[in-house]
Amino acid sequence: MLALLLGTGLYLTIGLGFMPILRIPYAFGQLIRGGKRHDAEAGDVSPFGALMTALSSTVGTGNIAGVAVAIAIGGPGALFWMWMTALVGMATKYSEGVLAVKFREVDADGRHVGGPMYYIKNGMGPKWVWLGGLFAIFGIFASLGTGNYIQAISVADALNSSYGVPIWMTGFVMMGLAAAVILGGIKRIANVAGKLVPSMAAFYFIAGVIVLVLNIDAVPDAFMLVIKRAFGFDAAVGGFSGALLMLAMQRGVARGIFSNEAGQGSAPIAHAAAKNKDPVNQGIIAMLGTFIDTIVICSITGLAILATGVIPPECNAVSILSNDVMPAVCDTGPPITISAFEAALPGIGGHVVTISLALFAFTTILGWSYYGERCAEYLFSEKAILPYRIVYVLIVFAATLVLYAGEDVDAVINTVWLATDTLTGMMAAPNLIALLALSPLVFKLTKEYFAREKADKQK
């Protein structure tokens, strides 16, 4: 699945003439200037609101815990492959945004709905409706697992470990807050995400930059280490090692893809609701989600960890490969990231990471509720929306109670992780098939858009 996700991104990047990478400044310009320009256009939320809703689900525990685990197991080179994954993932996210707006529909309640199930049905034709249904089924289960269950547990565990907050209390408060937002639908989710996501991302980013500034002498060496290890070079093995190269690639690509969700098919569900009549313009805004999530936020985590040198000594890629033993501490991300921030900001750094982790996870719960809701509506009509929202909110509380499982808690959580990872991968498969099948249309619409842009400038 990782090969298919990365391969699709590379194919789309080449087919688009590397446009997503070359047009990053242009994309930020469109996001900033979009504003009121799209207010009169069809849709439910602003292009910015759609991007923040998509980002609310992608900026999560993976940005803090996932990056730490990738580096602890795959070595510093894993960060480089996360960057490469993000660069080709931008083309995937762009294509998803284009198709989401191009093939969206208006439901019986007047909402603009879209996503892989709709561009499969309306773009690929009636013979492929079953594939859209398959995506929606996997999407519902992934929303309840990846987007809800795992996130709720992460918040309750973090607050209990750091501040002694009772698990049931965290679950109850989160359930109430989630209900207040989720029951209000996409407009309320986008409104909250539009305020919370930029604030929490800026809070974490600024704290991370401070950590790097306080360790500025170590930053150049950290960069060099990332590049060298990315290609399997390590003094401990006397030069190049193909096994180290593969380990760095595997960990970096895996964490990169599952952090920014490029190709998974979740983000286009949010972008389909945007007040934007131009599919390409919304696609350009959509691709910024991958850039912000991985190139900006994940990089801050990775460089902070490397610059402060807090990776436990037993987390050594060479010894892991040689002994075929995975130390438990290497597979637990938050403590490593907390150690990095705490080393630079004693007494403060740990709180920054814990609070960021809680906020990132909570916004993921909000964003994924909308994805699951749209999948439920696609399968069962508008009547399924309210029951789905109620079940989703109840699971927020129920999930945290798993932490009372005592000695069995790790086994239960690991089982859920495996199940949700599998469902997430199965969710991506129908979407990738659609992206490849409809790629000629994406390439055509892109050429036409920039041809119009060029002609308008020449007038």
Side-chain angles (χ1 to χ4, degrees), residues 45-305:
V45 297
S46 68
F48 176 80
L51 176 63
M52 290 304 107
T53 301
L55 266 177
S56 70
S57 67
T58 55
V59 177
T61 54
N63 297 81
I64 293 175
V67 177
V69 171
I71 294 173
I73 298 172
L79 185 58
F80 175 86
W81 293 110
M82 290 186 77
W83 293 337
M84 295 302 102
T85 301
L87 291 178
V88 300
M90 288 177 67
T92 307
K93 196 69 72 84
Y94 164 79
S95 301
E96 290 176 330
V98 171
L99 295 173
V101 175
K102 175 68 177 175
F103 293 109
R104 66 184 177 182
E105 298 179 359
V106 179
D107 69 11
D109 295 329
R111 286 181 289 258
H112 288 73
V113 295
M117 52 283 199
Y118 289 94
Y119 52 72
I120 288 171
K121 181 180 75 171
N122 299 328
M124 295 174 66
K127 291 181 180 179
W128 293 93
V129 170
W130 63 271
L131 191 64
L134 206 60
F135 172 87
I137 292 169
F138 293 141
I140 290 174
F141 284 109
S143 72
L144 299 175
T146 304
N148 187 340
Y149 189 98
I150 294 298
Q151 307 300 328
I153 286 176
S154 298
V155 176
D157 192 28
L159 295 181
N160 180 254
S161 301
S162 299
Y163 306 117
V165 180
I167 291 165
W168 67 267
M169 185 180 293
T170 300
F172 187 76
V173 171
M174 268 200 304
M175 180 178 69
L177 292 173
V181 179
I182 291 168
L183 295 176
I186 180 60
K187 291 184 179 179
R188 192 175 299 171
I189 292 172
N191 188 35
V192 172
K195 294 179 175 65
L196 200 54
V197 172
S199 302
M200 72 180 190
F203 171 70
Y204 185 72
F205 179 79
I206 292 168
V209 168
I210 293 171
V211 171
L212 295 180
V213 170
L214 293 174
N215 293 274
I216 194 67
D217 293 342
V219 173
D221 290 337
F223 265 109
M224 289 305 298
L225 199 59
V226 168
I227 303 303
K228 286 179 181 177
R229 297 288 182 84
F231 297 97
F233 290 97
D234 192 319
V237 295
F240 170 76
S241 166
L244 283 177
L245 168 62
M246 291 305 295
L247 186 61
M249 282 187 68
Q250 181 196 39
R251 288 292 166 170
V253 171
R255 293 296 173 176
I257 287 174
F258 286 109
S259 173
N260 58 52
E261 297 179 11
Q264 190 174 313
S266 50
I269 298 175
H271 288 287
K275 291 182 179 179
N276 198 337
K277 64 182 179 182
D278 195 313
V280 172
N281 188 265
Q282 190 60 34
I284 288 168
I285 291 171
M287 73 187 193
L288 288 175
T290 302
F291 181 85
I292 294 168
D293 176 271
T294 307
I295 301 295
V296 178
I297 300 176
C298 287
S299 295
I300 283 289
T301 301
L303 291 173
I305 289 169

